[in-house]
């Protein structure tokens, strides 16, 4: 087995290499100068061995053929009467893996604050690994959660953006949305569209695919990093002042007709493509703005939508402008 310092350096390189593959869409390469062949044993904490080898095994072994990988499964941290966060901490202390997969930003931040993670910046700088070609928003977000330091890299992520119909904005003389808007600013902009009209002639300033009031509340509250319960998980705090402002904003937007009413699911029949197309107010040109993922672009193509769309960043917490947490990271590999 390698010495611990060599393991740390190897783990950092593996993490960086995995991210480079996922975000740039290129083959499994590294921009660092050629190094000595890597050999020895590195332990990886992941869902299970099969999943890890399927996702990354071939890539890693093609780059590091002399490397021995040991996968520590995290499946045992879930179950009745188990706290996954506590079980994960226990597993980390017991197995001491070199690379850890964590399923969310909150877990990543807590582990970094607890000193469970190794800072990657020194290794990246030492080996000249190029992170500039990776999506800056992902790196910035991870550094923000690490108090300015990079403790992990995201091989997978989803992003959302605020899509808008340029023709509708031009038609009604409303200025286009801007990057880094708050939800309050988005709804104020949406309110500038007419609330008259019926049926297919009704235009809405903003829509979501499900048009659910509860979903809209959770979306706005989530942007401002609000939780339903306190840190103990025992006291409901949805009646707090920050939540009261979110309720007021969303409820008033529904009352003013800025947001469409909840879409009623068809009863006792198959929900098909025509139903999906009918509920897509943005794709049909009847809504000025919507928050969605990049998959919306493909959906608009499939629907043969004629919407002349553009996009800006997703709404942000007005107290944290400059950091867009609408990058929804699936998992993080960290040393």
């Amino acid at each position: 087995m390698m010495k611990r310092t060599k393991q740390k350096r190897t783990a950092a390189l593996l993490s960086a290499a995995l991210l480079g593959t996922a975000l740039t869409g290129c083959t499994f390469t590294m921009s660092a100068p050629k190094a000595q062949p890597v050999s020895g044993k590195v332990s990886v904490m992941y869902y299970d061995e099969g999943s890890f080898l399927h996702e990354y095994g071939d890539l890693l072994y093609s780059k590091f053929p002399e490397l021995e990988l040991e996968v520590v499964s995290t499946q045992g941290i879930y179950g009745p009467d188990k706290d996954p966060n506590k079980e994960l901490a226990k597993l980390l202390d017991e197995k001491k893996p070199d690379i850890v997969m964590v399923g969310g930003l909150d877990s990543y931040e807590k582990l970094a604050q607890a000193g469970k993670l190794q800072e990657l910046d020194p290794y990246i700088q030492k080996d000249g690994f190029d992170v500039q070609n990776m999506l800056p928003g992902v790196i910035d977000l991870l550094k923000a959660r690490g108090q300015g330091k990079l403790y992990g890299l995201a091989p997978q992520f989803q992003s959302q953006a605020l899509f808008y119909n340029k023709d509708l904005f031009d038609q009604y003389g409303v200025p286009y949305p801007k990057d880094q808007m708050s939800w309050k600013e988005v709804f104020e902009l949406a309110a500038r569209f007419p609330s008259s009209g019926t049926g297919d002639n009704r235009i809405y300033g903003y829509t979501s695919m499900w048009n659910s009031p509860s979903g809209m509340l959770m979306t706005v509250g989530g942007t401002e990093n609000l939780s339903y319960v306190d840190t103990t998980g025992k006291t409901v705090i949805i009646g707090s002042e920050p939540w009261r402002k979110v309720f007021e904003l969303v409820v008033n937007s529904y009352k003013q007709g800025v947001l469409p009413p909840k879409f009623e699911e068809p009863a006792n029949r198959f929900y098909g493509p025509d139903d999906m197309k009918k509920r897509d107010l943005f794709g049909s040109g009847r809504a000025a703005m919507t928050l969605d993922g990049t998959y919306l672009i493909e959906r608009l193509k499939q629907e043969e939508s004629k919407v002349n769309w553009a996009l800006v960043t997703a709404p942000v917490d007005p107290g944290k402008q400059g950091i867009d947490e609408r990058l929804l990271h699936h998992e993080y590999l960290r040393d």
Side-chain angles (χ1 to χ4, degrees):
M1 180 175 288
M2 295 176 292
K3 292 181 180 179
R4 195 65 180 171
T5 54
K6 188 175 181 181
Q7 283 181 302
K8 289 295 183 183
R9 179 177 178 276
T10 301
L13 291 177
L14 292 181
S15 298
L18 287 170
L19 180 67
T21 301
L23 296 191
T24 62
C26 61
T27 56
F28 190 79
T29 60
M30 295 177 65
S31 59
K34 282 189 176 180
Q36 295 297 318
V38 174
S39 62
K41 185 176 182 179
V42 173
S43 60
V44 181
M45 185 172 286
Y46 205 73
Y47 296 119
D48 58 66
E49 183 174 11
S51 298
F52 181 80
L53 295 178
H54 175 74
E55 292 288 334
Y56 307 111
D58 290 342
L59 295 173
L60 288 173
Y61 284 126
S62 66
K63 182 66 181 180
F64 308 106
E66 302 299 321
L67 188 68
E68 180 183 354
L69 288 172
E70 177 189 13
V71 179
V72 178
S73 173
T74 60
Q75 290 188 353
I77 70 175
Y78 304 100
D81 301 322
K82 285 188 176 182
D83 183 331
N85 291 324
K86 292 182 179 179
E87 294 296 325
L88 177 61
K90 287 168 56 178
L91 194 60
L92 283 170
D93 290 337
E94 178 185 346
K95 298 295 184 179
K96 295 180 172 55
D98 299 300
I99 302 176
V100 185
M101 183 279 293
V102 180
L105 277 171
D106 290 339
S107 296
Y108 166 82
E109 184 175 16
K110 289 177 181 178
L111 289 173
Q113 291 177 350
K116 300 290 186 181
L117 307 179
Q118 181 84 6
E119 183 186 352
L120 296 184
D121 296 287
Y123 300 103
I124 291 173
Q125 293 170 6
K126 180 179 178 181
D127 290 276
F129 185 79
D130 185 10
V131 294
Q132 299 304 315
N133 288 326
M134 299 173 187
L135 190 65
V138 175
I139 301 298
D140 292 343
L141 179 55
L142 291 171
K143 283 190 173 183
R145 287 298 191 107
Q147 297 183 340
K149 296 180 180 180
L150 187 64
Y151 291 97
L153 298 169
Q156 299 180 22
F157 71 93
Q158 290 181 349
S159 61
Q160 289 187 307
L162 184 67
F163 290 78
Y164 64 96
N165 185 324
K166 295 178 67 176
D167 291 342
L168 282 181
F169 275 85
D170 292 340
Q171 179 181 346
Y172 292 102
V174 180
Y176 293 155
K178 299 178 181 179
D179 290 333
Q180 303 286 306
M181 295 176 67
S182 66
W183 276 110
K184 183 174 184 294
E185 292 171 323
V186 170
F187 289 153
E188 287 175 347
L189 200 61
R192 299 178 66 171
F193 289 87
S195 58
S196 57
T198 58
D200 292 342
N201 295 320
R202 177 67 161 90
I203 299 296
Y204 293 94
Y206 180 89
T207 186
S208 64
M209 196 60 182
W210 302 104
N211 294 325
S212 163
S214 60
M216 196 72 251
L217 286 168
M218 296 304 104
T219 298
V220 177
T223 299
E224 299 187 11
N225 203 30
L226 300 181
S227 176
Y228 323 134
V229 295
D230 64 8
T231 54
T232 67
K234 298 179 180 179
T235 303
V236 176
I237 57 173
I238 202 166
S240 64
E241 180 61 18
W243 269 115
R244 187 193 66 78
K245 291 181 179 180
V246 169
F247 270 84
E248 186 177 81
L249 176 64
V250 173
V251 169
N252 286 342
S253 296
Y254 274 106
K255 286 182 177 180
Q256 295 168 10
V258 173
L259 304 174
K262 181 179 179 180
F263 184 87
E264 296 298 331
E265 302 286 351
N268 301 321
R269 69 179 180 84
F270 175 73
Y271 187 79
D274 289 340
D275 297 301
M276 182 66 72
K277 190 172 182 179
K278 181 179 179 182
R279 77 182 306 165
D280 185 5
L281 298 182
F282 184 82
S284 63
R286 294 177 52 208
M289 294 179 285
T290 190
L291 177 71
D292 216 325
T294 52
Y295 41 80
L296 173 61
I297 300 173
E298 184 61 30
R299 192 172 78 232
L300 292 175
K301 290 180 181 179
Q302 292 176 352
E303 294 177 357
E304 299 181 346
S305 172
K306 299 186 183 302
V307 170
N308 179 21
W309 59 268
L311 55 82
V312 294
T313 62
V316 299
D317 182 348
K320 294 182 180 179
Q321 288 183 326
I323 298 296
D324 182 7
E325 296 208 2
R326 298 305 297 186
L327 291 167
L328 307 179
H329 302 255
H330 286 301
E331 56 190 43
Y332 310 89
L333 288 174
R334 56 195 50 80
D335 174 30

